[in-house]
Amino acid sequence: MHVVRLSDAPRYEAPGHTDMRMFRLQGREAGPSDVMWLGMSQILPGGGITPSASPEEKFYVVLHGEVTFETPDGTATLNSWDSCRIAPNEIRALRNETNKPAVVLLAMPLPNTARD
């Protein structure tokens, strides 16, 4: 078992992310992982991610608040415990359009090169 307490979770930065604080909960610099990593993001009002894509599939779960997700297929506003999947290479943007902070959980596979 590998435990990571939130108080010890390493912070990370990612391009195109504004007014967000992001932490690794498992995998990468947070500890061992064979196939995936977990992250948690706190999104301030007005914060979010500019449109971008990556070759890895992503799963988001809104843990607190409300977050709007946008893809070429449409827009969805998710509330606490709602989730969505972003397909590999699918362009996505997300934003907190409210006046309250939001928190999302991200589950994402490691790139193939990290698993070899």
Side-chain angles (χ1 to χ4, degrees):
M1 177 179 359
H2 179 78
V3 174
V4 176
R5 308 254 181 233
L6 182 57
S7 60
D8 298 324
R11 225 179 129 186
Y12 71 98
E13 299 292 327
H17 292 56
T18 58
D19 290 329
M20 294 176 65
R21 185 161 287 184
M22 297 160 299
F23 299 90
R24 300 252 198 243
L25 301 180
Q26 291 291 331
R28 296 195 178 238
E29 61 271 3
S33 175
D34 294 333
V35 296
M36 69 181 304
W37 65 274
L38 293 177
M40 183 268 291
S41 298
Q42 301 165 339
I43 310 168
L44 294 176
I49 302 172
T50 58
S52 62
S54 69
E56 291 80 33
E57 174 181 52
K58 298 174 184 70
F59 292 94
Y60 289 95
V61 180
V62 176
L63 299 178
H64 178 76
E66 181 178 290
V67 179
T68 300
F69 290 79
E70 187 173 353
T71 71
D73 292 331
T75 301
T77 299
L78 305 182
N79 295 291
S80 295
W81 301 109
D82 293 340
S83 64
C84 70
R85 173 192 181 255
I86 303 297
N89 301 308
E90 182 176 19
I91 296 172
R92 60 80 174 95
L94 64 91
R95 60 193 171 275
N96 178 353
E97 297 176 332
T98 74
N99 290 330
K100 298 177 183 177
V103 179
V104 297
L105 176 71
L106 168 64
M108 194 169 156
L110 294 169
N112 285 333
T113 55
R115 288 185 258 166
D116 294 337

